[in-house]
Amino acid sequence: MNPTINIDKDNLPTHIAVIMDGNGRWAKGKGAARIFGHKNAINAVRDVTEGCAELGVKYLTLYAFSTENWARPKTEVKGLMQLLVHTIKNEIGTLQKNDVQLNAIGDLTSLPGNCQNELTEAIALTKQNKGLVLTLALSYSGRWEIIEAAKSIAKAVKNGEIQINEIDADLFRSNLMSSNIPDPELLIRTSGEMRISNFLLWQLAYTEIYITQKLWPDFRKNDLNEAILAFQRRERRFGQISEQVN
């Protein structure tokens, strides 16, 4: 039975974030190089993006490349960057067909020039789309984002633009790279790992976490539906008690 029929379309998470984990292990299990896993991960990205667009989810953020990933073997990093350029170029049609707007967060200036160019062009080409907003976290670190926000606020205080007593959660959030999108309501992590790996540290404060043993290259729409169903079965209390929420 397709789990889609059980999903309450009036209770969808507005924003789903995904830690796409297990590409290397998937490739190793097939006796192939790690880059083979990354290449096959594109099918999962396409399927989940289309699934979110079809359901009516408004925001999807994918943890594509962390700042820590730069420390991986140079051959793997080079292959990933080449794959990123190739994928962005080839997936424009899919994004346009599904009315998806592309966005990106992270230290984008650290990416190779051709990656920056393809990303900038794709963001511009999809800017007018009104459906799902797909954000790629590239060369991203939650701690880095928080530090950058702190620097921005400190500079504003130094320049007399704001007073220290004006700094609150709303002001801090407005200085994050993701300030234009709501915090995730659901975080999906594949491969069974039980950690958030420096991803959206500020934004995940009250996010529901769903862990699956499935490796990312095998993740499909039905798996997305199962994660959403699990989310819909939970009671979100935000520090209150059940009686207050209900």
Side-chain angles (χ1 to χ4, degrees):
M1 182 176 67
N2 190 333
T4 304
I5 61 172
N6 296 320
I7 289 178
D8 180 1
K9 294 288 188 70
D10 295 323
N11 186 30
L12 291 170
T14 300
H15 182 184
I16 297 175
V18 184
I19 299 176
M20 307 180 292
D21 197 15
N23 296 343
R25 275 167 283 174
W26 185 89
K28 185 178 180 180
K30 297 182 179 299
R34 291 176 60 86
I35 195 66
F36 181 68
H38 297 307
K39 287 178 179 178
N40 281 273
I42 296 168
N43 296 324
V45 171
R46 186 185 300 118
D47 215 54
V48 168
T49 300
E50 288 184 344
C52 284
E54 290 164 2
L55 285 170
V57 174
K58 298 185 183 303
Y59 300 92
L60 173 65
T61 299
L62 303 177
Y63 202 7
F65 192 85
S66 72
T67 53
E68 290 81 10
N69 289 155
W70 289 112
R72 290 186 175 185
K74 289 183 179 180
T75 53
E76 182 178 352
V77 172
K78 182 179 179 181
L80 276 168
M81 291 300 111
Q82 292 173 341
L83 182 62
L84 178 61
V85 171
H86 180 76
T87 302
I88 292 172
K89 186 180 295 185
N90 286 354
E91 292 299 318
I92 292 294
T94 301
L95 296 176
Q96 300 287 41
K97 183 184 75 172
N98 290 281
D99 199 27
V100 175
Q101 181 186 139
L102 186 65
N103 184 34
I105 58 174
D107 185 9
L108 305 180
T109 58
S110 67
L111 298 173
N114 57 346
C115 289
Q116 293 184 48
N117 293 338
E118 289 296 337
L119 192 59
T120 299
E121 183 177 352
I123 289 172
L125 287 171
T126 61
K127 188 175 182 180
Q128 301 305 316
N129 291 345
K130 303 299 182 184
L132 174 73
V133 176
L134 171 62
T135 300
L136 301 179
L138 292 162
S139 192
Y140 175 86
S141 151
R143 287 180 174 178
W144 169 85
E145 183 183 24
I146 289 171
I147 290 169
E148 291 301 304
K151 287 180 181 177
S152 177
I153 294 170
K155 184 178 180 180
V157 171
K158 181 180 179 180
N159 293 338
E161 297 167 12
I162 59 172
Q163 300 298 312
I164 289 179
N165 59 7
E166 293 180 285
I167 301 173
D168 58 15
D170 289 334
L171 178 67
F172 195 91
R173 192 187 188 288
S174 70
N175 282 271
L176 295 171
M177 290 195 76
S178 60
S179 61
N180 61 330
I181 58 178
D183 292 343
E185 292 172 289
L186 172 62
L187 170 69
I188 299 170
R189 178 162 191 154
T190 56
S191 86
E193 300 292 349
M194 300 285 191
R195 56 181 177 270
I196 57 175
S197 297
N198 204 2
F199 184 43
L200 300 176
L201 297 180
W202 176 277
Q203 299 89 333
L204 293 177
Y206 277 101
T207 301
E208 297 295 322
I209 300 177
Y210 177 86
I211 307 291
T212 174
Q213 296 296 323
K214 187 161 286 191
L215 303 179
W216 177 247
D218 290 327
F219 198 87
R220 292 295 181 270
K221 289 179 185 178
N222 276 353
D223 302 301
L224 171 69
N225 294 336
E226 288 179 9
I228 293 174
L229 284 169
F231 167 84
Q232 292 181 339
R233 294 188 190 107
R234 298 184 189 181
E235 180 183 70
R236 307 189 72 213
R237 296 189 297 273
F238 301 98
Q240 297 181 321
I241 63 174
S242 296
E243 287 77 7
Q244 290 176 297
V245 174
N246 296 323

